[in-house]
Amino acid sequence: DQVAGGPGPHRSDVLRYLRNDTSCYWADPDEDRVLHRNQSAAWSGLHALVSGDVLGLPSDVSPAQAVGGSEALTLSRGGLPHPPALVDGARRWVDGLDAWTLAALYGAASESKSFFVAAALVHEAVRGAGGDADGGEEDRRDGRWAARAARVEEEFNIECWGLVEGGHDYDRLNCSVQMHSASFLAQAVADSVR
């Protein structure tokens, strides 16, 4: 309800996640093959889905990616140099969202620190509204998938160093609630206009 009264700041905030999207910072496969494998499993096809299906861009337009710690540190200071067509497409898509769908996107992006994870989640929720989704359960980019995709690095660190009860477990729960809430809201809005 705050989004409807002033969507501009929420649109800007969502687009800011594109500049330093967590799904665009990959571990170097030679330096940290386990984390890289986890990132690949969680984010496989994510950029192609959002660039092509959501933003309607040609297949040769994809986001910039940083691989390895030194490149990531250098690029994070000024933001990733995404192609202008991708940034413009993202802006047009976000500007075209109604207030409720924008609120779902904003919630997912702020929790995942990723425009791409949030856009895929909202896209799949809207597409799945009314039972129109195709593909099996394993192909769905739903709240469960989004929570895993948002927490790749955190879960890797938990695997390495252990879980802090009363900390990491609450973070997992909060992330899951936020992602499922965003998915539900986007789907409910899409169902209401069909």
Side-chain angles (χ1 to χ4, degrees), residues 156-163:
F156 174 75
N157 283 322
I158 290 170
E159 287 175 28
C160 292
W161 306 106
L163 178 128

Side-chain angles (χ1 to χ4, degrees), residues 11-30:
R11 288 184 179 125
S12 296
D13 283 349
V14 166
L15 290 169
R16 244 188 315 205
Y17 286 109
L18 184 59
R19 289 179 41 119
N20 282 307
D21 195 293
T22 192
S23 72
C24 295
Y25 290 94
W26 289 65
D28 187 319
D30 295 329

Side-chain angles (χ1 to χ4, degrees), residues 17 23 54 63 98 103 112 127 130 132-133 137 164 178 187:
Y17 286 109
S23 72
V54 177
D98 62 80
S112 66
R127 193 180 84 154
D132 293 343
E137 184 67 29
V164 175
Q178 292 285 29
Q187 187 169 357

Side-chain angles (χ1 to χ4, degrees), residues 98-182:
D98 62 80
W100 294 105
T101 307
L102 177 60
L105 180 68
Y106 178 80
S110 63
E111 181 63 35
S112 66
K113 310 299 183 259
S114 172
F115 172 82
F116 287 98
V117 169
L121 175 67
V122 167
H123 172 71
E124 290 291 317
V126 168
R127 193 180 84 154
D132 293 343
D134 54 359
E137 184 67 29
E138 67 278 356
D139 295 333
R140 295 204 49 226
R141 295 190 188 268
D142 58 5
R144 181 177 295 148
W145 166 82
R148 284 193 311 267
R151 293 187 48 81
V152 173
E153 288 89 358
E154 290 87 348
E155 293 301 322
F156 174 75
N157 283 322
I158 290 170
E159 287 175 28
C160 292
W161 306 106
L163 178 128
V164 175
E165 289 185 23
H168 293 124
D169 49 350
Y170 287 125
D171 291 343
R172 281 178 175 162
L173 179 62
N174 185 55
C175 183
S176 180
V177 167
Q178 292 285 29
M179 293 305 175
H180 282 87
S181 296

